[in-house]
Amino acid sequence: MWQSSPPGSIYDYIRVASFSIGPDGLIEQWSRRAAGLFGMASDEVVGRDPVEAFMPAELRPDAHRRVGEILDGKEWTGLVPFRIPGENAVRGLAEIYVMPSETGAGERAALCIVVDVRALRRIETDLAASQAIFGQSPFGFVLFGTDFAVVRANKRFATVFGGEADDHRGRTVEDYLARPEAERLSATLERVLETGEAVTDLQLVGTPPGSLGRRHWSMNLYRVHSGSGRPIGIAGLATDVTQRHIAAREAASARRNLALLNEASARIGNSLDLETTARELLDVAVPGFCDLASVDLYQGLLTGEEASPASWGRHHQESGTGSAELRRVAHASAVSDALPGVLPGVGADAAGDSGQPALGSVHRYPFHSPCAVALRTGRVEDVPGDERGFVHSTLAVPMVAHDIVVGLVQFSRTKGSEPFGERDRALATELAARAAVCIDNARLYRREHERALILQRSLLPPGDPEAAGLDIACRYLPGNTATEVGGDWFDVIELPGHRTALVVGDVMGRGLRAAVAMGELRTAVRTLALLDLEPAEVLSALDEVARGLGTPGGGERSDGFGAGGGAQWPSRAAHKSREADLSEVYLATCVYAVYDPVTRRCTFANAGHLPPVVAEPGEPALLLDVPPGMPLGVGGEPFEEVEVELKEGALLALYTDGLVESRDHPLDEGLDAFRQALAEPSQPLEDVCDHVLTTLDTRHGEDDIALLMARIQGLAPDAVGDWRLPRELRSVARARELAREQLTAWGLDDLVDTTELLVSELVTNALRYGEGEIRLRLLRDRTLVCEVWDAGLVQPRRRRARDTDEGGRGLQLVGLLSAAWGSRRTPRGKTVWFELALPDGEPAAELSVEQLLSMY
């Protein structure tokens, strides 16, 4: 059956041509391929000598001899140069096969087959290059036919998939890949064959024969054509990129881990609450790192035990019965809302049916369980998966801070997720360690906060203080555990003459140092108040105390120069001391008020504190215009006093800024709201305090709050006896008489004798050592107070009289017979006073012999 040769045959590539030579040595026939090869048409060649037609002149003699030999019947094969027409005398090289022939008449002739040597050399080069690339390449080459069966594969391809290269002829993609991947590759081959568009980096996954692990390949596909352009198949270049995938996965894992660590740094430790910190850890880990997680903390840490943290876990090390008590403080799940039901059972005591503790429950881990081992050794342990196979990989990671285990975190991954590797173990350890440090910091802060709070509360007045002429109620609300303890304080101090000092202050700063500074200032205020100084003098002295708090030893600030009168350069120690002083400056605000129930007058002095508020019956509450002054510790500025007369039933309020100031509203709004909350000052004082705290937007917990409220209740006129006596001897007897009459009118007959004796002593001293007019005043409230006033500035001094002295024992007698006595300066002299307890129905105790003899 005849059929024409399709275009693109081998003859097209090697450029085969033919012509014949007749018996006369002339060209007899000239093929079209010869015309194309030599560039000469048949009418130009037929009938001519072939040597003369296209051979160079210098080769013609030898060529004629060869032609003669051929016509004599000799076969010949050789390389013959020839001229290429139209190429500027460029020579070609032809390989000619000459075969002798005979004509019908029996004459000798020749048939010549001509091949272009240049085309042959190109084909040889191409075949050699193709063979080198296809056979020696480290990449897998495969050639698919138009039926998508393998036509040829190289040795590298056979090395991966087994056998010899020739064994793969006729195989299809289903012989190499699983069905999903085979179908994807087949569809790609069809598309490439149909469209001619190459496909690069086609990712394929499969398992080569005899291999347990999956491999990844990157495949480039392109359509192959014949010389005439007809598609004859699809070539594929496959590269094993498994290591690249592993490296990419590890790089992605490293990037994920780094991102998790960055996120952990930003999100863990924003709160000083232990449980909140545990939840922050799980928010970072789930689902970015694992599918399930839980956190257990030692119960001793949560209850604030003062024992060493190392002792929390000592129980299970010594007894061998199990871990110390832990509490499940947090859990999280990305796959189920019922986390305790899906984590692998670890045999914890107090666990539910699932073997996992419920949130908030207290439990122990058995001694030999992985969790107990992790707690005991401080190393990460693998926890076996559950029997149902839902969780297949769990890490029990101890939470270690400063070489102390504070708890345990468990990270779990479910089926479908990759099991934990070494890199994951390192990341889990780092996450747990970061959370552990934050938790330990929270523990230390909470301990310091509680100690500061205990110290602060111990320095506040117990209960509701009592004072003459005042109904007092107070409130103190400390900041919560998320904020440090502040330095707020208040105090109520009884002064001589039934007067009362009211104090409210606030040390700037927070923490234990602020609480300690507050305690020192409060003690100093009490000491200064008992000296019966004026309010401005108290604040001036307190300012010096505050300035000394920041210096080493609490002493007064030094300029760093040596004593002894001669100026010296400051020493290096002095420089360091001054730097320390500047870095530890204690500043505080304080308002100090002294109330006299006899006159219902209150004297105020302010050191940078918020102004007092006064609400009189039927009137709106007002801020008293008290000069604010500078805070304590600044120094150099005097303090001013303001004296205000308060109406009966008026309400006086002293407070700290935590009551009226917050980040959500300015101070003026808080002060206005406070004044409006005092619109009903006639209500019971405790109710007024509660109303203020519930009405104001105090944002309790952001700052400490101190509130001291007093209702003015002056002494009744019949509870005061006030007389002025001339400076003469008979005033002593007159004073005794007035005292006796007043005590009899008050029904204090039991105190008459003692009061007469002591009044006589004080008036006598005023006549002997004092100046000006004498004033006698008796005050009856919770105690009996007697005051003797004169214009002298010399303060009385108690001394021991010699045996030969006839006097000098009066103040000793006053000290023995009175409950308390003292003296204080006044704007126009001094006041000497004594105080007697009111009789309770029992006979007064008599002086012992030793007490009487002590005066002699």
Side-chain angles (χ1 to χ4, degrees), residues 75-79 95-98:
E75 290 187 3
W76 179 82
T77 301
L79 297 177
E95 188 174 38
I96 302 179
Y97 302 90
V98 181

Side-chain angles (χ1 to χ4, degrees), residues 170-220:
R171 293 185 181 180
T172 61
V173 294
E174 286 80 4
D175 297 321
Y176 303 105
L177 301 174
R179 173 169 296 186
E181 291 290 271
E183 291 177 351
R184 192 160 64 90
L185 178 57
S186 297
T188 306
L189 291 173
E190 291 179 5
R191 186 171 70 253
V192 171
L193 183 62
E194 179 180 353
T195 64
E197 296 179 359
V199 172
T200 59
D201 197 22
L202 175 64
Q203 297 294 315
L204 299 173
V205 180
T207 304
S211 175
L212 298 178
R214 295 196 308 172
R215 309 295 292 179
H216 293 260
W217 295 284
S218 172
M219 199 163 191
N220 298 327

Side-chain angles (χ1 to χ4, degrees), residues 622-674:
L622 298 175
L623 298 176
L624 290 181
D625 187 13
V626 179
M630 297 298 292
L632 301 175
V634 174
E637 294 293 333
F639 297 97
E640 301 182 39
E641 294 181 358
V642 173
E643 188 176 60
V644 178
E645 183 176 351
L646 303 174
K647 293 183 180 180
E648 186 76 17
L651 192 62
L652 173 65
L654 306 178
Y655 52 95
T656 56
D657 56 359
L659 182 70
V660 295
E661 187 177 21
S662 75
R663 292 174 293 181
D664 297 332
H665 56 75
L667 178 61
D668 292 343
E669 293 183 6
L671 291 173
D672 291 340
F674 183 30

Side-chain angles (χ1 to χ4, degrees), residues 46 76 93 254 366 434 449 571 665 758 777 807 825:
V46 173
W76 179 82
L93 187 64
R434 294 195 180 198
H449 182 276
S571 65
H665 56 75
L758 300 184
R777 189 167 75 168
R825 290 181 300 165

Side-chain angles (χ1 to χ4, degrees), residues 33 128 239 289 521 538 563 569 765:
R33 287 184 180 270
T239 306
F289 177 67
L521 291 178
V538 170
W569 291 107
N765 283 345

